[in-house]
Amino acid sequence: NSKVIQTPRYLVKGQGQKAKMRCIPEKGHPVVFWYQQNKNNEFKFLINFQNQEVLQQIDMTEKRFSAECPSNSPCSLEIQSSEAGDSALYLCASSPRDTLYFGSGTRLTVL
Amino acid sequence: GDSVTQTEGLVTLTKGLPVMLNCTYQTTYSPFLFWYVQHLNEAPKLLLKSSTDNKRTEHQGFYATLHKSSSSFHLQKSSVQLSDSALYFCALSAYTNTGKLTFGDGTVLTVKP
């Protein structure tokens, strides 16, 4: 079973609403990733952190998406103003070095 | 940029038959290849990984060999089971990329009785 814990499992929002999801990485894993998996099962990298610092992020993340990984608190991904196209499975993964271990995801539906 | 190609979108087999899911990749860096399996409503789980050229890696009856000469990392199993029905992803990490994975489009494997 995955040791990466994501909450909530399901999230339903209206267009324009904020959507926030959380992730507790596996203990001892310094790197955390967020991916978006769409209805066609395609993965899109959003952002990654190492020890609370952003390593890489895509342009989409810089606009409506915000994310953080504070010490001693869950990581979070927030969409400031949800759009229908944001409906997807959001996967958090943590890594000790070179292998990603995924959580079960938060399935966001934007009505 | 880096890319991963999985040629089969859907594979349907009868239980007990062998399977090979194709994966080829492109990168200018030293590759690290992965296979993940995702069952319905579950997290993608690591199945296999390799960065060693021409060395077979095995787990849970599945095996794959990284061939840098052909940029391939095909997944195989000699006898599929009903429980193998799932979505399989090949993924690439290039060493300069801080572990970020580039995924293929995935192959849905359906095993019938």
Side-chain angles (χ1 to χ4, degrees):
Chain A
N1 290 331
S2 175
K3 296 179 182 178
V4 177
I5 309 300
Q6 287 190 251
T7 56
R9 193 71 186 269
Y10 300 94
L11 192 56
V12 180
K13 295 291 179 181
Q15 293 195 48
Q17 290 186 320
K18 287 186 181 181
K20 187 169 186 175
M21 54 204 83
R22 292 175 175 81
C23 170
I24 300 175
E26 188 168 338
K27 192 174 181 180
H29 288 190
V31 186
V32 176
F33 294 77
W34 285 99
Y35 279 86
Q36 179 195 65
Q37 187 180 22
N38 66 20
K39 62 180 180 180
N40 295 321
N41 294 316
E42 297 163 334
F43 284 81
K44 179 181 286 185
F45 166 82
L46 296 177
I47 192 168
N48 59 352
F49 295 83
Q50 181 165 347
N51 297 325
Q52 298 87 49
E53 298 295 322
V54 175
L55 290 175
Q56 297 167 291
Q57 61 183 337
I58 65 168
D59 285 346
M60 180 177 75
T61 310
E62 293 172 2
K63 294 175 181 175
R64 294 185 301 109
F65 288 61
S66 63
E68 59 177 5
C69 257
S71 60
N72 301 317
S73 294
C75 299
S76 65
L77 176 68
E78 185 171 30
I79 306 173
Q80 301 303 319
S81 178
S82 301
E83 299 176 356
D86 297 330
S87 294
L89 181 66
Y90 289 83
L91 289 163
C92 177
S94 67
S95 173
R97 191 170 70 91
D98 53 27
T99 301
L100 272 64
Y101 297 91
F102 287 88
S104 297
T106 293
R107 186 167 295 283
L108 172 65
T109 301
V110 181
L111 302 175
Chain B
D2 298 341
S3 66
V4 175
T5 300
Q6 293 181 247
T7 52
E8 308 95 358
L10 179 63
V11 173
T12 303
L13 288 171
T14 301
K15 173 186 169 183
L17 290 179
V19 65
M20 185 170 83
L21 306 183
N22 290 310
C23 173
T24 55
Y25 64 90
Q26 285 190 319
T27 182
T28 55
Y29 303 105
S30 183
F32 203 148
L33 271 295
F34 302 80
W35 276 101
Y36 283 86
V37 56
Q38 187 176 21
H39 288 91
L40 193 61
N41 295 324
E42 293 185 11
K45 294 177 184 175
L46 178 67
L47 188 56
L48 295 171
K49 64 178 181 179
S50 180
S51 59
T52 306
D53 199 11
N54 297 319
K55 181 179 178 182
R56 176 165 152 159
T57 182
E58 300 186 40
H59 184 62
Q60 296 183 335
F62 287 92
Y63 59 95
T65 303
L66 176 60
H67 292 296
K68 293 184 180 180
S69 60
S70 58
S71 299
S72 67
F73 190 58
H74 305 319
L75 181 67
Q76 299 183 72
K77 190 174 187 183
S78 58
S79 175
V80 293
Q81 304 302 309
L82 295 176
S83 58
D84 294 329
S85 294
L87 182 56
Y88 291 81
F89 289 98
C90 183
L92 164 71
S93 174
Y95 278 129
T96 62
N97 254 349
T98 65
K100 185 180 82 172
L101 292 177
T102 299
F103 286 87
D105 289 340
T107 299
V108 174
L109 174 64
T110 301
V111 180
K112 295 186 173 181

